[in-house]
Amino acid sequence: MSATRGRSGEGATTSGCGLKRRNAPQDHEDSEMMNQDQLSTEDWCGRFWNGMELLKDVNEKKHFLPTGLEGIDTLLGGGLRQGQLTEITGPSSSGKTQVCLHSASNIAAKQMGLVMYLDTSNSFSPSRIATIIYGISDLFGQRGFELQTKDARLKSVMKSIICESVFDIFALFEVLHQLEVSLLNCKVNNGGSKVCLLIIDSISSLLAPIIGGKYPQGRSMMISVAMILKKLADEHNLSVLVTNHMVSAGNGAVKPALGESWKAVPHVRLMISRECENNICTATVLKHTLLASGRTAKFVAPS
């Protein structure tokens, strides 16, 4: 999926799908248009669901996508829930990218659907994906895989992972809008498969620069990204997985970046930490729609 970006005289950019996105507002008129866009988003969020609709939605539509990391899957009751946004946060080198790579590999290898991987810091590693795929013990019992060579199996799985490099907020808007249009038109598919997992590693690399004062509408843009992601998850039954870094909270403590406005966005927030000098990681629930905060699980995330 290629992103075509260009500027028009009104500060808008047109994607390859003919869909316009708005850059940071430059004047009063742009600010009013931004507010109108937010109102339309709020209208979408204002749909009321009765109890039976919610129960049916949970039981019939929102399934789990296993990450392939036993501790995390057990902790979350099966893995990443479709229709929800899950955030993995933690210090540098704690294993956040490994969770993303394992999730992408496991979903693609088990033919559960396509994975779209948005890479913001050149963290996507095809060789690491290959290592993970060869280590999935129950992969080769699947129909057709046992008849393929090792390289053919890897090629088949890699075709189910769509990787896109995204290095700024405007490129992110572009790709998300293209994805939405493609999903509506059923164009993002491969042999009948549809995107079921969207990964952004790391979303804080794109959002932190715009909320530091350079962009007056930075926080509004951040919330717009949040609403688009949650809308994609809900309307197209995707699981959205994002990573976030940690910042100082004072007195030597640390906390997830992006502040209080973003804190309310994820349905599930896990903090990952790694033990010194080994690959044993601990996942701690910071936020969950069903689980109590503080629950933990250990898992192995080889480097």
Side-chain angles (χ1 to χ4, degrees):
M1 180 180 294
S2 61
T4 303
R5 297 194 291 146
R7 298 187 182 277
S8 69
E10 297 181 356
T13 303
T14 304
S15 73
C17 298
L19 196 65
K20 289 188 176 181
R21 62 166 170 77
R22 180 154 295 279
N23 298 334
Q26 301 297 318
D27 51 31
H28 179 69
E29 180 181 355
D30 280 353
S31 296
E32 289 184 346
M33 295 184 71
M34 174 72 79
N35 291 335
Q36 290 175 3
D37 290 343
Q38 290 175 334
L39 286 175
S40 63
T41 303
E42 291 170 0
D43 289 342
W44 168 79
C45 294
R47 183 195 187 283
F48 291 103
W49 292 58
N50 63 42
M52 287 305 298
E53 287 178 315
L54 289 170
L55 181 62
K56 182 178 180 181
D57 184 63
V58 169
N59 291 337
E60 297 183 6
K61 296 181 180 180
K62 303 301 188 283
H63 302 296
F64 289 102
L65 301 178
T67 65
L69 298 167
E70 184 176 356
I72 289 181
D73 290 340
T74 300
L75 180 64
L76 297 181
L80 306 172
R81 197 171 188 86
Q82 291 180 283
Q84 291 191 347
L85 190 155
T86 300
E87 178 190 270
I88 303 293
T89 187
S92 177
S93 302
S94 58
K96 300 186 295 295
T97 293
Q98 295 304 319
V99 173
C100 292
L101 294 175
H102 268 271
S103 300
S105 302
N106 198 57
I107 299 307
K110 294 183 177 179
Q111 302 174 316
M112 302 182 74
L114 300 183
V115 176
M116 175 162 281
Y117 196 115
L118 303 187
D119 183 7
T120 72
S121 54
N122 293 318
S123 62
F124 184 82
S125 172
S127 60
R128 181 72 193 117
I129 292 283
T131 301
I132 295 170
I133 290 171
Y134 293 146
I136 298 176
S137 59
D138 58 343
L139 168 62
F140 306 116
Q142 295 187 73
R143 184 180 63 183
F145 273 88
E146 68 277 6
L147 303 177
Q148 296 179 347
T149 65
K150 193 174 183 180
D151 289 341
R153 288 193 293 262
L154 176 61
K155 184 177 180 180
S156 176
V157 172
M158 292 296 286
K159 284 183 177 180
S160 294
I161 302 176
I162 305 166
C163 185
E164 181 88 11
S165 295
V166 179
F167 299 126
D168 61 55
I169 187 68
F170 304 117
L172 177 61
F173 275 124
E174 188 77 50
V175 172
L176 292 180
H177 281 308
Q178 288 188 30
L179 174 60
E180 183 175 26
V181 171
S182 298
L183 287 169
L184 289 171
N185 295 330
C186 299
K187 290 181 179 178
V188 183
N189 59 69
N190 179 24
S193 297
K194 187 177 179 181
V195 173
C196 65
L197 175 61
L198 170 63
I199 297 174
I200 306 178
D201 183 28
S202 81
I203 197 165
S204 52
S205 298
L206 304 178
L207 298 181
I210 69 170
I211 59 175
K214 181 178 179 181
Y215 296 97
Q217 297 292 330
R219 292 195 177 275
S220 294
M221 295 167 70
M222 179 179 72
I223 297 303
S224 292
V225 168
M227 300 313 298
I228 292 170
L229 291 176
K230 296 179 84 168
K231 180 180 179 183
L232 285 171
D234 182 74
E235 293 190 351
H236 300 285
N237 210 29
L238 304 181
S239 180
V240 178
L241 175 64
V242 303
T243 64
N244 188 6
H245 66 275
M246 306 287 281
V247 295
S248 174
N251 299 322
V254 292
K255 62 181 180 181
L258 303 179
E260 293 298 313
S261 297
W262 179 263
K263 182 179 178 180
V265 172
H267 296 93
V268 176
R269 174 177 264 186
L270 298 182
M271 182 176 68
I272 304 296
S273 60
R274 186 191 293 264
E275 296 180 10
C276 296
E277 300 181 358
N278 64 43
N279 295 324
I280 304 300
C281 299
T282 300
T284 302
V285 175
L286 298 184
K287 177 184 177 183
H288 198 285
T289 54
L290 298 175
L291 302 178
S293 298
R295 293 187 61 175
T296 64
K298 292 187 180 297
F299 65 96
V300 178
S303 56

